[in-house]
Amino acid sequence: MAGDALSTRQESRADRTREDAVEAALGKLDLDTKARLLAGQDMWTLPALPEIGLGSLVFSDGPIGVRGVRWTADDPSVALPSPTALAAAWDPALARRAGRLLAQEARRKGVHVLLAPTVNLHRSPLGGRHFECYSEDPYLTGAIGTGYVQGVQDGGVGTTVKHFVGNDAETDRFTVDSVIAPRPLRELYLAPFEAIVANAHPWGIMTAYNKVNGSFMSEHRYLVNEVLRGEWGFDGANVSDWMAARSTTGDILGGLDVAMPGPQTVYGPALAEAVRAGEVPESAVDDAARNVLRLAARVGLLEGAPAVVTTAPAAVDGHTLARELAARGFVLVRNENGALPLTTGQRARIALSGAAARDARILGGGSATVFPERIVSPLVGLTAALPQGALTFSVGADPSEEPTPADAGFELRAVCRDASGAVIGEGSLPSGQVQWIGDDLPAGVTYETMASIEVTGTFVPRESGEHAFGTRGLGAFDLAVGGATVWEGVQLPGSEADPFEAFFGAPTVRARAVLAAGEPVEVSLTYQVPDMSALPLRAIMFSLLHLGPRRDADELIAEAVAAAREADTAVVVVATTERVESEGFDRTDLELPGRQNDLVRAVAAANPNTVVVINTGSPVELPWRDEVAAILLTWFPGQEGGAALADVLLGEREPGGRLPTTWPAVFADAPVTEVVPREGRLEYHEGLHIGYRAYEKAGVSPAFCFGHGLGYTDWAYESLEVTADAARVRIRNTGARRGREVVQVYLAPVGDPVERPASWLAGFASLEAEAGESVEVEIALPARAFEIWDEEAGAWRRVGGTYEVRASRSHADARLTATLEFGA
């Protein structure tokens, strides 16, 4: 206790010193400099102010890895599993370890603030960006987000918790008005942000593109100034989503501190002029500048201000942690007759199929993309773990019929030339995709001097046959294969609604060539750079695309079936694609693309010991789920996903995950499917009832319920004792091996005097025990779990009465119950 008190006093002194340094620095700045400090100077940074000893703050995308300020593989990033996978572990301490690793990566890359975590809710399974969010439940989301923020900031790196608030779908995200009543806004969508502010003290928040109840979030005085800062006491920096800041006066009066990116923003000179014109009080600029200086002080960029973290935590091995995180997030939702883990006999001959087994999708598309130095696919991971000759592979079914950025077999670079054709710079490419935004250009290259970009290199085909090559992007192109031009022309805008999607353009096949496996061929795509001098943000985005030989779908399935028939175990990997799940658009259904469902059914008919691995970020329909022996959800598992898969299938690790979101049996069962605005408004008509709350209200049984997940041992729930503050649960491992259990505590009011869901998650704990061992845990029941937002009073109100407290393995599997009664 004495040590804790000493640490608190030291922190208080350091806080005072930082605040004194911030005030001293602020006092030295004139209006124009303060206004300039609040505007991005480029895509990722704020300006340095040497006159006050202020360094340049550097931001970077960071939900699952730290990309840095350039879209390049020259400086690889550790790629962790998707945030949904992290939430599936139901372990805030594990999320904190992940955050510490990302802080380590950020420091290595010179990044001070991560644009993460994403804590919007899985309101509807159609949300296209749900892989980047944690859960449908606000309590679980807040707990995992708290762990993540604590971990990153343990390493002295800031976070910007996003997207505040109501960005729970992607359709028309720049303009949509999310219409949310006060109770669901408070009890669901604001709740994770409130929990993280209270428990992790984040140094930043990112406000969303959308409106909430008529006001853009970057200008939302009530939610930012009154709720976030006033009620919750948030003292960090409020950063706009990129290009979300629209109004100089609206944004600064609405509590927005930083307008990103630069160099052209609504702040800077425009903000200084608004003050001089009497439209904005200078005190509002001071408040924003103070918040930015405080952020800089916390990360160690302001002279005279001690950084919050002066000694970094112990180093973390990124590959090892990524592998552990993946296995901990895998959710085993079906395991008939103990099909997993595979016994010695079951692993003697394994038939692996599915294109995603060879070319795994390890992360979701969009701004969260990073480039790891290696990717362990299921094929690579199982090949390394099994004896030679034990594994066979067949494609079986390919989820994509569209060309994708040139990747496997390609070695490419980008060559930039001026108008005379002279080379002015070169850069390596992680794939055929060029995505240069702002000053992210090869050394020596500028937009003013660059006239063309040639993506050039060699391609070594994996298969013989007709290969398709194409383009994605807007502008004039020249495509060559084998030294000969095969297409030249102009790609025009399509019907894409999202501005980013429109800028990328639609993937289009331009030419075909018959190539032989293993024989290198030269390829190139030349792009004519347009004049971008009038654009507020200059960027170049285009891709050289490739699609391998198309074989008859029935023939591919027949090959997989033949292999499965001869094997002891069949493993089928199915997946979505970037055209199904990605930032910038929502889904229209929950179907697996291509002939993957046909593949699973055919293989399962040939081999009763069929294990299906689901490589998706969000729920998909599994119409064959009762026909297979086991189903393992691996999400987007990060760079070590294939190694973790081998660990789990072979029993080296137990699948540690529980579902953080409900999986419906069919799309029609999903209670919330409205993600497309009507006349610019997206009405949250369902109110408090999303996810498992909505299924329970409708009396619909999903395919797999919230909190469900199987391990490799069994558990007996022995006792439950409850007080108004906590539930004490004792469980016993009744199986034959060490295991992990996630004890979930739900509250269900009896004769509820107010409108509420029938039950909700109030607490949880992750426990480990040896075979035969009993363990006990006390799970806090937070006061908020018994409260509602009283719309008339504008305050939280405790609801008294009788509650059934359930100690459960999942939302639908209560093992013990107890009654709790108390007054309001």
Side-chain angles (χ1 to χ4, degrees), residues 10 15 60 120 122 129 139 171 174 182 284 329 358 377 432 459 467 522 548 551 591 633 658 739 743 778 804 823:
Q10 290 173 337
D15 288 340
S60 173
N120 302 108
H122 295 176
R129 202 174 179 181
Y139 182 82
T171 304
F174 289 88
R358 181 184 62 188
S377 67
F459 170 49
H467 292 254
E522 295 180 2
R551 294 178 54 198
E591 296 181 6
L633 312 184
R658 305 294 186 266
V743 178
E778 184 172 282
E804 183 179 79

Side-chain angles (χ1 to χ4, degrees), residues 57 59 113 158 203-204 237 290-300:
L57 269 168
F59 299 86
V113 182
W203 301 343
R290 181 178 292 110
N291 293 331
V292 173
L293 290 170
R294 183 180 296 117
L295 173 59
R298 284 170 167 163
V299 301

Side-chain angles (χ1 to χ4, degrees), residues 118-130 133 163 165-178 180 189 208-211 241 498 582-587 672-677 681-684 686:
T118 305
V119 299
N120 302 108
L121 297 185
H122 295 176
R123 171 178 169 264
S124 165
L126 295 182
R129 202 174 179 181
H130 280 354
C133 310
H163 307 87
V165 62
N167 180 192
D168 307 293
E170 292 294 278
T171 304
D172 296 344
R173 59 180 173 154
F174 289 88
T175 57
V176 63
D177 185 5
S178 298
I180 314 173
Y189 302 101
Y209 291 120
N210 53 279
K211 298 177 182 176
D241 204 340
D498 187 87
S582 190
E583 179 180 348
F585 57 87
D586 291 309
R587 301 160 72 188
V672 181
T673 58
E674 187 63 62
V675 294
V676 177
R681 291 162 58 91
L682 182 60
E683 304 266 1
Y684 285 43
E686 69 282 351

Side-chain angles (χ1 to χ4, degrees), residues 403-667:
T404 57
D407 190 1
F410 287 84
E411 290 190 9
L412 301 169
R413 66 187 187 280
V415 179
C416 303
R417 293 183 171 87
D418 62 18
S420 71
V423 174
I424 55 176
E426 296 188 19
S428 64
L429 293 177
S431 71
Q433 182 176 3
V434 175
Q435 183 165 306
W436 298 338
I437 305 176
D439 294 331
D440 179 10
L441 297 171
V445 177
T446 66
Y447 289 100
E448 290 76 17
T449 57
M450 180 170 46
S452 68
I453 304 167
E454 181 185 14
V455 174
T456 181
T458 59
F459 170 49
V460 181
R462 295 186 296 194
E463 302 167 277
S464 296
E466 185 179 72
H467 292 254
F469 296 87
T471 62
R472 188 180 186 193
L474 306 182
F477 295 95
D478 185 297
L479 175 64
V481 178
T485 297
V486 292
W487 179 80
E488 56 183 335
V490 176
Q491 184 161 344
L492 300 174
S495 59
E496 296 82 6
D498 187 87
F500 283 134
E501 282 296 297
F503 196 73
F504 276 111
T508 306
V509 171
R510 301 300 185 184
R512 302 179 188 274
V514 176
L515 304 175
E519 295 187 9
V521 61
E522 295 180 2
V523 294
S524 71
L525 177 66
T526 302
Y527 170 72
Q528 302 301 319
V529 178
D531 180 7
M532 290 179 280
S533 58
L535 297 180
L537 176 65
R538 294 183 291 186
I540 294 174
M541 299 182 185
F542 70 93
S543 298
L544 167 64
L545 306 181
H546 170 257
L547 183 65
R550 299 291 89 187
R551 294 178 54 198
D552 180 79
D554 290 333
E555 182 181 320
L556 290 175
I557 291 175
E559 287 182 358
V561 167
R565 190 174 289 119
E566 298 300 318
D568 301 299
T569 301
V571 177
V572 185
V573 182
V574 297
T576 54
T577 69
E578 283 205 13
R579 300 289 283 173
V580 174
E581 289 184 271
S582 190
E583 179 180 348
F585 57 87
D586 291 309
R587 301 160 72 188
T588 57
D589 58 48
L590 302 182
E591 296 181 6
L592 284 167
R595 295 282 303 278
Q596 296 182 100
N597 284 328
D598 294 339
L599 171 65
V600 173
R601 280 200 167 106
V603 169
N607 189 325
N609 193 33
T610 293
V611 177
V612 184
V613 176
I614 314 295
N615 181 197
T616 70
S618 303
V620 291
E621 291 182 7
L622 307 177
W624 34 258
R625 63 186 180 278
D626 295 330
E627 304 169 27
V628 301
I631 301 174
L632 182 68
L633 312 184
T634 62
W635 314 105
F636 298 147
Q639 68 177 56
E640 304 297 320
L645 178 63
D647 291 339
V648 167
L649 294 184
L650 303 182
E652 296 300 317
R653 294 179 186 264
E654 183 182 41
R658 305 294 186 266
L659 283 179
T661 199
T662 307
W663 279 50
V666 294
F667 172 62

